[in-house]
């Protein structure tokens, strides 16, 4: 449980880097969820909560991207290196090997 708690906080720091509002909101939410369930004794419920927390960490790490308003009608996206993937071009007619 502690390992996952720390992992969520490390992911939060990476994903919301330089965004103090988002960092604080994520910190509060993570701490609140773990605090609300700290007295849970059912092994089944604990495993379910750990699965949810693990899924949240994966979604944060793989799906969230920062955006910054630079002008009234412009937004700059700031992708992290682990989000960038090789782009495979779309082909109408696949080639046979």
């Amino acid at each position: 449980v502690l390992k996952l708690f720390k992992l969520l906080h490390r992911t939060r720091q990476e994903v919301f880097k330089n965004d103090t509002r988002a960092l604080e909101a994520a910190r509060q939410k993570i701490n609140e969820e773990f605090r609300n369930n700290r007295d849970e004794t059912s092994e089944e419920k604990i495993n379910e909560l750990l699965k949810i927390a693990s899924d949240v960490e994966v979604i944060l790490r793989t799906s969230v991207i920062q955006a910054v308003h630079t002008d009234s009608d412009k937004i700059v996206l700031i992708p992290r290196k682990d989000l960038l993937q090789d782009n495979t071009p779309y082909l109408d007619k696949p080639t046979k090997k």
Side-chain angles (χ1 to χ4, degrees):
V1 174
L2 185 58
K3 184 178 179 181
L4 187 55
F5 179 78
K6 289 178 179 182
L7 179 62
L8 276 165
H9 277 290
R10 281 192 298 272
T11 301
R12 165 191 71 91
Q13 290 174 338
E14 182 181 325
V15 170
F16 301 117
K17 189 186 310 183
N18 300 324
D19 186 349
T20 54
R21 237 172 76 192
L23 279 167
E24 182 60 23
R27 184 186 70 77
Q28 288 178 359
K29 186 63 176 173
I30 293 167
N31 290 345
E32 175 187 331
E33 290 298 324
F34 275 82
R35 192 176 305 113
N36 289 343
N37 296 297
R38 76 173 160 215
D39 295 328
E40 186 61 53
T41 57
S42 165
E43 187 175 337
E44 184 179 306
K45 180 69 174 173
I46 291 171
N47 288 335
E48 179 185 330
L49 291 167
L50 289 174
K51 173 74 171 116
I52 291 170
S54 179
D55 291 347
V56 167
E57 191 278 331
V58 169
I59 290 170
L60 280 174
R61 186 172 23 89
T62 60
S63 302
V64 176
I65 187 166
Q66 285 184 306
V68 178
H69 287 276
T70 58
D71 202 0
S72 62
D73 61 345
K74 292 185 182 179
I75 297 176
V76 174
L77 299 179
I78 307 170
R80 293 180 314 282
K81 287 182 181 178
D82 55 335
L83 285 178
L84 300 176
Q85 299 176 357
D86 289 336
N87 190 7
T88 306
Y90 175 76
L91 299 173
D92 284 331
K93 297 179 182 176
T95 57
K96 294 183 180 180
K97 290 185 178 180

